[in-house]
Amino acid sequence: QLDSNNYYGLKLFISPISAGVIYTLTIDGVIDCPGNSIDKNIANFVLPENGEPGDLIINEVLFNPSLSASDDFVEVYNNSSKYIDISEWSLANYDFDLDSIDNVKLVGGQQHILYPQTYVLVTEDTAATFEIYPLSAQTTFIQADLPAYSNDAGVVILMSKANEVSDRFDYDSDMHFPLLTDDKGVSLERLDFDRETNDYTNWHSAAENIGFATPGYENSQYQPTDQPNNTLGIDPEIFSPDQDGYNDLLNISYELPEPGYVGTILIYDAKGRLVRQLMNNELLGPDGTISWDGTNDLNEKSRIGIY
């Protein structure tokens, strides 16, 4: 509701607008100076909220670009119900010698409000990124300076407006699918928003059939955990690790009555031969998930069959 009785002849809100509420502004019945009627205009707006650590998370990272002229990128996902202005957030890396966060870069630029359950991609050259990955959701791109990220291993840190660490991803090129002939230009994608960021099995190389990256939209390897009704569950029961973005991974999920259990996960073939050791005497929480990419302990693709 607007108040027209103010000293400046402006339309003002009678009561302050609330953060996190989408408002619709409609302008109708306007005539320009020559007397032409202007079509109705409708726009939505929202007052952004201050996000807390964990509201925005790291969802996809390209740290080894395919071309020397191309750039790294970091994709962020809003895993909350808030409307957050990411231009006030920062990306950083980590200096292990000084044991501290380093090279903090404000996303900056024009205000960019990230709606709940949506993505934004930060890169230093949006045009080059779109040229290399033409299936990208280009409207989600923000061009900004990025910290330097090593092609082999490093740390991506996402920091809130209050300079608190919202998420941290310790990546390594060894996390890529072992059967890739070359990981240049291949992003690492998060499988599940709600699993731990630094669970290395929560990341996988982007699928080949979509161009090895999904900048600004749902990951090709997105596979949320289907929590088991009993102690242990597997999903899907049949999977095909052929890097096509469909059932490339097996999720092994557990749900225990209390924390403090120790778990070992071993993969055997139909003849009882040990193929892969996924977990060895690890302290477990009350629930969790670990993923298998179908390779054996020699980083070879396992044969078709029952395991």
Side-chain angles (χ1 to χ4, degrees):
Q1 197 173 21
L2 300 176
D3 176 17
S4 60
N5 298 316
N6 61 78
Y7 294 107
Y8 303 100
L10 301 173
K11 298 292 186 180
L12 302 177
F13 287 98
I14 292 176
S15 57
I17 61 175
S18 300
V21 177
I22 298 178
Y23 293 89
T24 300
L25 179 64
T26 303
I27 302 175
D28 195 12
V30 178
I31 300 174
D32 64 13
C33 293
N36 301 310
S37 178
I38 298 175
D39 292 338
K40 179 189 293 186
N41 284 273
I42 300 176
N44 294 327
F45 66 94
V46 62
L47 185 66
E49 302 165 87
N50 290 324
E52 302 294 331
D55 287 342
L56 302 187
I57 59 175
I58 300 163
N59 190 56
E60 183 178 0
V61 176
L62 177 69
F63 53 86
N64 189 7
S66 57
L67 303 173
S68 58
S70 59
D71 293 297
D72 300 342
F73 68 66
V74 177
E75 183 185 82
V76 175
Y77 177 76
N78 186 348
N79 199 31
S80 74
S81 60
K82 301 174 183 175
Y83 298 81
I84 300 171
D85 180 9
I86 194 172
S87 68
E88 298 178 327
W89 288 49
S90 304
L91 288 164
N93 55 23
Y94 197 81
D95 188 323
F96 286 95
D97 292 332
L98 298 176
D99 192 23
S100 64
I101 295 172
D102 192 31
N103 206 7
V104 179
K105 301 286 187 180
L106 183 69
V107 173
Q110 292 183 334
Q111 184 183 64
H112 187 109
I113 298 177
L114 196 55
Y115 281 39
Q117 287 76 59
T118 60
Y119 308 82
V120 67
L121 185 109
V122 185
T123 181
E124 293 190 344
D125 191 335
T126 57
T129 299
F130 185 70
E131 182 178 355
I132 297 170
Y133 305 103
L135 298 179
S136 305
Q138 194 176 18
T139 57
T140 68
F141 286 11
I142 291 179
Q143 186 160 299
D145 289 338
L146 286 178
Y149 293 121
S150 166
N151 292 346
D152 299 316
V155 181
V156 180
I157 297 175
L158 176 64
M159 303 180 67
S160 71
K161 178 181 177 181
N163 289 325
E164 297 175 299
V165 175
S166 183
D167 202 9
R168 169 175 169 159
F169 176 39
D170 294 57
Y171 68 86
D172 193 295
S173 59
D174 289 340
M175 297 170 69
H176 276 296
F177 188 50
L179 303 184
L180 285 174
T181 55
D182 188 359
D183 61 17
K184 279 184 174 292
V186 183
S187 70
L188 279 177
E189 296 182 328
R190 189 179 188 130
L191 305 186
D192 189 335
F193 304 131
D194 298 320
R195 284 171 61 182
E196 288 292 329
T197 302
N198 279 321
D199 170 4
Y200 76 95
T201 71
N202 193 26
W203 295 84
H204 196 271
S205 304
E208 181 176 2
N209 66 322
I210 50 80
F212 292 115
T214 52
Y217 63 101
E218 183 179 290
N219 291 344
S220 62
Q221 303 292 2
Y222 174 62
Q223 189 171 334
T225 301
D226 185 12
Q227 286 295 339
N229 295 323
N230 301 311
T231 304
L232 191 68
I234 60 171
D235 181 59
E237 292 189 358
I238 299 175
F239 77 115
S240 54
D242 53 7
Q243 195 62 10
D244 67 348
Y246 177 72
N247 287 347
D248 283 340
L249 296 156
L250 174 72
N251 278 346
I252 304 171
S253 305
Y254 59 87
E255 185 174 302
L256 303 171
E258 58 189 19
Y261 283 81
V262 172
T264 296
I265 298 179
L266 305 174
I267 307 295
Y268 293 88
D269 66 14
K271 294 184 178 180
R273 295 172 294 196
L274 179 63
V275 173
R276 181 71 183 270
Q277 178 175 283
L278 285 178
M279 180 188 294
N280 183 29
N281 290 332
E282 291 189 14
L283 182 63
L284 306 178
D287 57 68
T289 300
I290 188 168
S291 301
W292 182 38
D293 62 6
T295 59
N296 60 27
D297 281 332
L298 298 176
N299 281 337
E300 301 169 338
K301 188 174 182 178
S302 302
R303 295 181 179 181
I304 296 173
I306 298 173
Y307 291 84

